[in-house]
Amino acid sequence: MPKITPFLWFDTQAEEAANLYVSVFPNSRINDVSYYPGEAPGGGKPGKVMTVTFELDGQKIVALNAGPMFKLDEAFSFVIDCDGQDEVDHYWNALTADGGAESQCGWLKDRFGLSWQVTPRQLIEMTTSPDRAAAGRAFQAMMGMKKIDIAALRAAYEAG
């Protein structure tokens, strides 16, 4: 069975990023760190970190230090499935700390430029409800949020 592994391009911060991510998510670990054996385009120097292979809750990911030619952007994001406001707050606070940036509708960028969607199951339940009027109110409430506020969503959902 083929496996799909996200491969993330960093300038020089692959190891720092991987260490942050494994500290934030349970059941996560660094599996391997490889080093440049010689000079490489993009600034690879012998003995410097080339790749970091790690797992976030069982999902294998590879981070590469390859220079500033390419930047992470919102075209790629990881979705974090949360259950409740405490989980939303935990991931939001950890990933926006030290230079991360809030976006809208539960999206953020961490300090390395990687985009994340911090999504509580309650948001999905409300916005996909068969009660289309209630779902629409919850959706409109979400559109005005940065970090998802489940109590505010619930209030909008039940306002009808």
Side-chain angles (χ1 to χ4, degrees):
M1 193 84 181
K3 298 287 182 184
I4 297 172
T5 302
F7 198 93
L8 305 173
W9 182 299
F10 292 88
D11 182 0
T12 61
Q13 318 92 332
E15 188 172 31
E16 183 183 353
N19 283 324
L20 170 66
Y21 305 149
V22 301
S23 76
V24 170
F25 293 91
N27 306 315
S28 300
R29 64 191 174 125
I30 302 287
N31 293 331
D32 184 61
V33 178
S34 69
Y35 300 89
Y36 279 100
E39 296 286 325
K45 304 281 185 217
K48 296 289 184 183
V49 171
M50 183 171 66
T51 62
V52 181
T53 303
F54 60 103
E55 291 179 27
L56 296 184
D57 201 18
Q59 172 64 56
K60 180 181 171 184
I61 300 167
V62 178
L64 169 71
N65 282 329
M69 289 79 71
F70 299 109
K71 303 285 185 212
L72 296 167
D73 67 27
E74 293 83 356
F76 178 85
S77 64
F78 282 112
V79 177
I80 307 167
D81 296 319
C82 299
D83 186 18
Q85 195 66 51
D86 288 344
E87 280 191 18
V88 168
D89 293 346
H90 165 74
Y91 292 116
W92 191 270
N93 295 338
L95 294 168
T96 58
D98 301 322
E102 298 181 346
S103 187
Q104 65 181 48
C105 304
W107 286 60
L108 64 86
K109 269 191 180 186
D110 66 33
R111 69 180 184 243
F112 305 105
L114 184 59
S115 292
W116 299 84
Q117 298 177 56
V118 183
T119 308
R121 72 168 174 75
Q122 294 84 353
L123 168 67
I124 304 305
E125 290 168 358
M126 285 184 254
T127 60
T128 61
S129 167
D131 181 341
R132 300 315 302 150
R137 290 189 302 272
F139 182 82
Q140 288 305 310
M142 177 209 57
M143 293 298 292
M145 296 178 183
K146 290 186 179 195
K147 177 175 71 172
I148 301 299
D149 178 337
I150 296 170
L153 282 177
R154 177 79 49 209
Y157 181 83
E158 294 174 351

